[in-house]
Amino acid sequence: DDDRVRIIVHVHERAVPEVAIPIIYEDDDYLAVSKPSGLDVFANPSGGSVRLSVVGMLEAQGYKGLKPAHRIDKPVSGVLCLARNKRAISRLQRCIKRRKVNKTYLARTRGKPTVAAKITAPLGTSMDDRGRQIATVRDDGKASGTVIRDILATHQDGTSTVVVELLTGRYHQIRCHLNHAGWPIA
């Protein structure tokens, strides 16, 4: 009845590139950086990335104790806002929660979306056959809203670069909504 099991997991972390995370803005309370695609924001020891995360790489650059105010999915690049202290993170997250912060995204899609298209399909998550969490349009999902604000360019290959605004912030929302509307990410 007092059996115990000990599981030891050893995960090798991928090599950290010798590249600095670009700093866009810096003051005593905040840091804004250009997050490259392919990096987790937070350390993910089970996924083999501790130092190979934005926070880990910034720590290696000498920035200690940073607190990301939001997340950006691993395959996505963009501006990431971080706070340097508790007061600053509280203020920044309060502004985000009260929608005092505008988040604008650029996406390259297949086809030519309609300007001012509003996509409101509910989104939920499930596990794929490899045990990874995936986001999908689901009838029992959470209310979600995405608006295409502008088309910046149409390209020779049949793709378009569009300006997207999120009305909610669901997991992989842009990817799911654009795909659902018939304009998948290129």
Side-chain angles (χ1 to χ4, degrees):
D1 288 339
D2 204 12
D3 292 345
R4 293 177 187 221
V5 175
R6 181 176 172 189
I7 299 174
I8 299 173
V9 177
H10 181 83
V11 178
H12 288 278
E13 184 167 8
R14 296 179 313 250
V16 178
E18 296 293 325
V19 189
I21 299 288
I23 308 298
I24 297 170
Y25 175 81
E26 180 176 3
D27 67 19
D28 292 340
D29 292 321
Y30 302 104
L31 190 71
V33 301
S34 179
K35 178 204 165 298
S37 63
L39 278 182
D40 287 311
V41 170
F42 300 97
N44 180 4
S46 64
S49 58
V50 175
R51 290 170 300 163
L52 189 55
S53 65
V54 174
V55 172
M57 291 176 74
L58 287 168
E59 283 183 3
Q61 287 175 230
Y63 295 95
K64 305 293 182 195
L66 294 173
K67 298 157 186 62
H70 57 97
R71 63 176 182 76
I72 299 177
D73 294 331
K74 184 176 182 175
V76 178
S77 63
V79 177
L80 177 66
C81 300
L82 304 104
R84 294 180 146 183
N85 55 61
K86 287 181 183 179
R87 183 182 57 80
I89 190 67
S90 176
R91 182 171 186 220
L92 194 50
Q93 287 179 331
R94 189 170 47 251
C95 287
I96 291 169
K97 185 176 183 178
R98 292 179 181 167
R99 301 209 177 271
K100 302 289 184 191
V101 174
N102 294 324
K103 297 180 188 177
T104 303
Y105 300 85
L106 299 180
R108 190 153 181 180
T109 66
R110 292 192 193 120
K112 186 175 180 183
T114 307
V115 174
K118 185 174 182 182
I119 307 159
T120 58
L123 298 177
T125 59
S126 58
M127 299 301 238
D128 70 7
D129 56 354
R130 294 182 2 190
R132 296 178 302 183
Q133 184 180 19
I134 58 170
T136 56
V137 172
R138 301 167 51 120
D139 290 336
D140 64 344
K142 293 182 180 179
S144 308
T146 303
V147 178
I148 297 173
R149 290 286 175 215
D150 198 5
I151 298 175
L152 296 182
T154 53
H155 307 281
Q156 300 268 342
D157 62 359
T159 62
S160 300
T161 301
V162 297
V163 178
V164 179
E165 179 186 346
L166 297 181
L167 304 177
T168 53
R170 308 284 179 231
Y171 181 69
H172 286 206
Q173 178 175 326
I174 294 172
R175 183 177 310 280
C176 287
H177 272 176
L178 290 176
N179 188 57
H180 177 73
W183 308 302
I185 298 287

